[in-house]
Amino acid sequence: MSEVSTASTTAHTEENHVDESPRGIAVMVVVGVLVGLLSGLFGIGGGTIIVPALVWLGLTQRHAAATSMLAIVPTSVSGVLAYAVEGNVDWIAALLMFLGMFIGGQIGSLLLSRLPEVVLRWAFVVFMAFIIVSQLIFIPSRDSSIEFNLVTVLLMIVFGVLAGILAGLLGVGGGAICVPALSILFGASDLIARGASLLSMFPNAMTTTVANVRRKMVHAKAGLIIGIVAALTAPLGTWIAGAMSPRAGGILFATYLTVLLIRSIWVALKVTRE
């Protein structure tokens, strides 16, 4: 019992190493603006920005990922509302995805509390590489929609589990895997895939955050600052998404992630050598 208590105390101490100076707060606000824009634009939670930024501000990869899930909660709500106004949310697809993500998110949160830092770093690198490739090789149709049958229902739940594991483990919303899956495997248009992705990640982010809080891995102040600012800018990203072609959006997202991937590889190599 004493070992468990010591571990919890250590985790709690680690999470409070984030920079809360005026400079640090300013960085969180800027990150929130970028997260909101990209969330609305691509239907993602924004963890690919939040996690590296929080690590740079002093959190461990583990606590940055857990805090990111908290920030994704208000971000996803704002994005869903913006997409729903334009009729670009498939409520059934979102529900099916969530059923899987609820299970996967708990698994991911458990793994997050137990896996070594170096493993989390390299998992993040592999995850981003997958997103980049998927964005470059596939161009969704804006006029297509999902046709439901038994196979579709089962596959959506399975992919929801995978997305939930990634979300809980890496601190992302899961949209980066849900959006490509909804378009490539299930025939959703790019806008509907993003709207459904944001809707499905909201309850998953909530349940995963609760699990992370219980494990004392969440820095609430940082998560709320980023999340609230992101919620204010997400509708602008949604508007840009509607005005941009699917191909242009995919290239823009892949370009950004390539820069982030290079940096993440460098950091992962550094941690590995240590």
Side-chain angles (χ1 to χ4, degrees), residues 127-197:
F127 173 67
M128 283 192 296
F130 164 78
I131 303 172
I132 292 171
V133 172
S134 69
Q135 290 295 318
L136 292 176
I137 65 176
F138 179 75
I139 305 176
S141 169
R142 184 146 292 179
D143 299 323
S144 58
S145 59
I146 303 173
E147 295 183 6
F148 290 97
N149 53 52
L150 180 59
V151 175
T152 300
V153 169
L154 294 176
L155 283 178
M156 279 192 177
I157 295 175
V158 170
F159 271 94
V161 173
L162 295 177
I165 292 175
L166 285 175
L169 181 60
L170 304 180
V172 299
I177 187 173
C178 287
V179 172
L182 285 169
S183 294
I184 297 172
L185 297 177
F186 306 114
S189 72
D190 61 320
L191 295 181
I192 289 179
R194 294 167 190 169
S197 171

Side-chain angles (χ1 to χ4, degrees), residues 10-100:
T10 300
H12 182 69
T13 300
E14 287 182 339
E15 72 164 332
N16 288 317
H17 285 172
V18 67
D19 181 5
E20 296 186 21
S21 67
R23 168 184 167 275
I25 299 298
V27 170
M28 293 177 199
V29 171
V30 172
V31 169
V33 171
L34 294 175
V35 166
L37 290 174
L38 290 185
S39 178
L41 184 57
F42 301 119
I44 62 174
T48 48
I49 301 176
I50 300 171
V51 173
L54 289 177
V55 169
W56 184 65
L57 287 174
L59 291 184
T60 64
Q61 182 81 12
R62 189 185 322 279
H63 292 109
T67 302
S68 174
M69 291 303 295
L70 171 60
I72 287 170
V73 174
T75 306
S76 60
V77 172
S78 177
V80 167
L81 292 176
Y83 273 101
V85 168
E86 300 297 327
N88 290 319
V89 175
D90 190 315
W91 303 89
I92 296 177
L95 174 61
L96 293 173
M97 282 286 191
F98 167 66
L99 292 177

